[in-house]
Amino acid sequence: MARIVQKYGGTSVGDTDRIKNVARRIKEMQAGGHELVVVVSARSGVTNELLARAKAVCEFPSERELDMLLATGEQETIALTAMALQGIGVPAVSYTGAQAGIFTDKVHTKAKIKTINAKPIEKDLKAGKVVIVAGFQGINEEGQITTLGRGGSDLTAIALAAALKADKCEIYTDVDGVYTADPRVVKDARMLPELSYDEMLELASSGSKVMQTRSVEFAKKYGVIFEVRSSFNHNPGTIVKEEVAYMEKVIVRGVAVDKDQAKIIVSNIPDKPGSAAKVFRALSDSNINVDMIVQNVGRQGVANLTFTVPQTETARAVKALEPVLAAIGGGPVTVHEYIAKLSVVGVGMKTHSGVAATLFQALADADINIELISTSEIKISIVVDQGRADEAARVAHTAFQLDKA
């Protein structure tokens, strides 16, 4: 008998028929004698609908009240899923994040999990019940409901798997697993049977929508092996685990594109120690995530800083920069929104040379210009024109022969 944590995303529980389908899958698993904890998201579209209602009654709703509102999406799903299981003879009980003992810090809308008290869940598992837990939410030390931000339900599942010492964690979604590229863009993309934590982290941070980085970071930290698979069939998915030696034989594992990027250029800042620190401290204090950073060679006492941020955060970034530039000098600030980040990822880059040359030559042959370049030990990221991003992904996919097993 195994202890298994499963997570079902919003599309998997999108309506009552799909919730019944999930209940049947759970019943099959439980019939094998396994202990099951099931984490569910809000039904597809519900969170966006709740956000729209919030904005309709208040242009700038408080983050505390947003958490109070958004947490109801998952609470609807846990109750319906528990009812569906009870309706087919499976004993089940639903838990909110607070009832599941998920304690977080005080930050609303982007809370971090601090501890989990799994004793109530353990008690119900021993009683033979399937425990259904609301993803994406927890409670802070003051008793306030908090939400975990994007990908929060995945994080809930990974964290519960660690706390409960589960034998397996399964992340069910609307795709069969993790592919070498987005199959909607690259028609000959292949599903990958295995990935290392680091490869999954880099793909997630580079635009792959299958998992959010925080969930993968948590899994790596606590050694939680998980499988990404489809809730609409019974095919094996992609297993994500610690890196092993044979993984380095494949130089590049996948290609990811992120079109939700904007490039910001800060011109003529003083070319002296502390200038860049003050710029990025201002962005950090505003909780703005900065990705690629390039500083040009200073001339005549000034330099330019170029960096990328999510498109949704460009206005806040520019606003955050105004006071610091007024203090240190510099400007203007220029925003370019029609860009995309293309990344190639693979642990094999550690031991193989020529990856950058292959990528740059392939793009040059396709007459695709590179605007920015950033590298890590297992990733090369570039910025290209947004209108040619999909073409660039196909070019890179072919250049590294990712269409071949």
Side-chain angles (χ1 to χ4, degrees):
M1 182 178 70
R3 175 171 288 183
I4 300 170
V5 175
Q6 296 183 332
K7 176 262 176 178
Y8 291 91
T11 53
S12 300
V13 291
D15 55 36
T16 53
D17 287 337
R18 289 187 175 182
I19 290 173
K20 288 179 180 179
N21 178 61
V22 165
R24 287 190 290 269
R25 292 185 72 109
I26 295 169
K27 182 175 182 178
E28 289 175 15
M29 188 68 71
Q30 197 223 25
H34 303 301
E35 292 182 336
L36 285 172
V37 176
V38 178
V39 176
V40 292
S41 299
R43 291 184 297 109
S44 181
V46 167
T47 300
N48 288 338
E49 180 183 336
L50 291 172
L51 281 170
R53 289 183 183 179
K55 294 293 178 68
V57 298
C58 178
E59 186 178 359
F60 301 106
S62 76
E63 292 185 334
R64 180 197 181 277
E65 300 307 328
L66 276 177
D67 278 355
M68 185 70 74
L69 176 66
L70 297 182
T72 64
E74 280 72 20
Q75 288 174 217
E76 176 201 35
T77 317
I78 58 172
L80 291 173
T81 305
M83 292 174 191
L85 284 164
Q86 292 164 4
I88 55 176
V90 178
V93 59
S94 63
Y95 279 63
T96 65
Q99 291 170 329
I102 299 172
F103 291 93
T104 73
D105 61 18
K106 296 180 181 180
V107 178
H108 284 288
T109 73
K110 295 180 182 178
K112 292 182 173 63
I113 295 174
K114 294 176 68 176
T115 60
I116 294 179
N117 175 12
K119 289 181 181 179
I121 294 178
E122 293 272 11
K123 182 179 178 181
D124 276 324
L125 289 175
K126 288 178 181 177
K129 296 179 182 178
V130 174
V131 178
I132 313 296
V133 179
F136 177 67
Q137 62 182 253
I139 189 170
N140 65 27
E141 61 188 27
E142 297 176 350
Q144 303 293 318
I145 292 174
T146 56
T147 63
L148 307 178
R150 289 184 62 188
S153 293
D154 291 339
L155 180 57
T156 301
I158 298 289
L160 283 172
L164 292 164
K165 295 179 172 57
D167 299 291
K168 194 175 183 182
C169 183
E170 299 172 336
I171 307 295
Y172 284 92
T173 181
D174 56 353
V175 295
D176 289 335
V178 183
Y179 281 74
T180 52
D182 185 340
R184 294 168 298 182
V185 173
V186 182
K187 299 303 181 185
D188 53 2
R190 295 182 301 106
M191 196 189 80
L192 295 161
E194 288 185 338
L195 277 174
S196 71
Y197 291 127
D198 287 339
E199 287 171 327
M200 188 70 248
L201 269 172
E202 294 286 20
L203 287 170
S205 68
S206 301
S208 174
K209 305 299 183 185
V210 178
M211 294 282 288
Q212 293 292 324
T213 55
R214 283 201 303 163
S215 306
V216 186
E217 286 170 349
F218 202 102
K220 180 181 179 181
K221 181 178 180 179
Y222 292 98
V224 177
I225 298 172
F226 64 93
E227 183 178 6
V228 180
R229 56 189 303 181
S230 172
S231 62
F232 302 117
N233 59 52
H234 289 81
N235 299 333
T238 301
I239 295 172
V240 182
K241 61 181 185 179
E242 193 59 67
E243 179 186 331
V244 292
Y246 71 82
M247 289 181 174
E248 290 192 4
K249 293 180 180 179
V250 180
I251 302 173
V252 173
R253 285 281 196 158
V255 176
V257 172
D258 186 357
K259 297 180 183 178
D260 182 30
Q261 292 281 306
K263 181 173 70 174
I264 295 179
I265 303 172
V266 183
S267 303
N268 302 323
I269 65 168
D271 185 25
K272 62 182 182 180
S275 295
K278 291 174 181 176
V279 167
F280 291 109
R281 172 56 60 191
L283 295 169
S284 174
D285 290 345
S286 297
N287 290 317
I288 295 167
N289 293 320
V290 177
D291 189 6
M292 303 172 71
I293 303 172
V294 175
Q295 179 172 337
N296 74 333
V297 177
R299 292 180 180 177
Q300 299 179 334
V302 296
N304 294 347
L305 270 175
T306 303
F307 54 90
T308 61
V309 299
Q311 274 191 14
T312 53
E313 297 188 348
T314 53
R316 288 202 306 122
V318 172
K319 186 176 181 180
L321 290 170
E322 289 173 355
V324 70
L325 293 178
I328 68 172
V333 177
T334 308
V335 177
H336 298 269
E337 293 190 323
Y338 299 104
I339 65 162
K341 180 177 71 172
L342 170 74
S343 302
V344 295
V345 175
V347 294
M349 291 187 193
K350 296 177 184 178
T351 53
H352 293 79
S353 61
V355 178
T358 299
L359 175 63
F360 298 161
Q361 187 61 59
L363 293 172
D365 292 343
D367 197 30
I368 297 173
N369 189 47
I370 298 171
E371 299 183 27
L372 291 175
I373 301 170
S374 176
T375 65
S376 73
E377 192 176 28
I378 66 168
K379 179 179 74 172
I380 297 174
S381 292
I382 61 169
V383 166
V384 298
D385 181 83
Q386 192 179 82
R388 303 199 68 184
D390 290 349
E391 180 187 358
R394 290 188 285 269
V395 166
H397 195 269
T398 300
F400 291 105
Q401 300 182 345
L402 295 179
D403 54 324
K404 299 177 182 177

